Amino acid sequence: MTVTEGMDSEKKGTKHRRMRRNPDPITSSAEFALDTRLTEELLDRLLSSDDVSSFLDTEHVADARLADYLHSLLESHGLTRAEVVRSSGLNPTVVYDIFSGKSRPGRDHAIALSLGLDCDLRETQRLLRLAGVSELWCKQRRDAIIIWCVDRGYDRTYVDQELARFGERALLPRG
């Protein structure tokens, strides 16, 4: 599908594809592999440490915060919170409370938020981890549908349409 075809189909309401900042799946998978390798290296260093405090001191390990990650995604994707509210379909107060760290999203809200932020699959999985909810798992039917849509850059509305088409619960209830 060309960019023009994608725009035409959006106007017709058939598919809702978002433009990716980095459409190269090789780069994204390479970044994911690097992140995984680095985590494994850290784990090896932790397990080989004589004392956990020496590991914590030398590796400068700190808890990542969801709010910080959301703000970094906003900046790197060139979005505003208002745009995220519109494209995620979430209540503005809910989005602002999550961004300020006042509340944590449930799993479906976290997925909707990642779609509103135009996250790729790696970013979505990290957002879910930081939100304290389970990551998407391709062995679960509903999750497999969501993963397929995220990988192809579809928006939240299209994801909900695909979920409905397969008889699965939508991310956001119709209201």
Side-chain angles (χ1 to χ4, degrees):
M1 175 186 297
T2 66
V3 173
T4 309
E5 288 170 339
M7 290 167 52
D8 291 342
S9 62
E10 279 190 54
K11 289 177 188 171
K12 295 175 191 169
T14 56
K15 288 195 178 185
H16 305 274
R17 239 178 223 249
R18 301 177 314 241
M19 293 304 298
R20 291 273 184 213
R21 299 145 331 278
N22 181 8
D24 182 3
I26 294 170
T27 303
S28 294
S29 62
E31 288 173 0
F32 179 76
L34 178 63
D35 185 44
T36 302
R37 185 174 44 91
L38 292 175
T39 302
E40 290 171 1
E41 289 171 5
L42 276 176
L43 179 59
D44 288 342
R45 288 197 293 264
L46 170 62
L47 296 176
S48 65
S49 294
D50 293 331
D51 181 23
V52 71
S53 62
S54 64
F55 170 79
L56 294 173
D57 291 341
T58 59
E59 298 299 336
H60 306 288
V61 176
D63 292 334
R65 290 188 47 233
L66 176 62
D68 295 335
Y69 185 57
L70 294 174
H71 286 285
S72 72
L73 288 171
L74 265 184
E75 185 178 322
S76 67
H77 295 193
L79 298 169
T80 65
R81 278 190 274 185
E83 291 170 321
V84 173
V85 166
R86 275 192 300 280
S87 57
S88 70
L90 295 170
N91 178 298
T93 304
V94 170
V95 173
Y96 287 101
D97 284 350
I98 294 168
F99 268 87
S100 69
K102 290 180 183 176
S103 66
R104 284 191 171 266
R107 189 168 190 261
D108 284 352
H109 280 185
I111 295 168
L113 194 57
S114 74
L115 292 165
L117 283 161
D118 192 24
C119 292
D120 61 23
L121 186 57
R122 181 182 53 82
E123 293 166 331
T124 298
Q125 297 290 50
R126 184 166 190 207
L127 190 154
L128 293 171
R129 278 193 308 271
L130 290 172
V133 298
S134 62
E135 295 179 38
L136 294 168
W137 191 36
C138 61
K139 288 188 175 186
Q140 295 289 325
R141 178 182 163 90
R142 183 172 184 262
D143 285 3
I145 296 164
I146 296 168
I147 289 169
W148 186 87
C149 290
V150 168
D151 183 63
R152 282 155 180 79
Y154 292 122
D155 67 7
R156 201 248 340 134
T157 303
Y158 187 77
V159 172
D160 276 347
Q161 290 171 357
E162 283 296 283
L163 289 168
R165 185 167 74 97
F166 288 98
E168 297 291 337
R169 179 176 42 83
L171 290 171
L172 299 180
R174 292 184 180 177

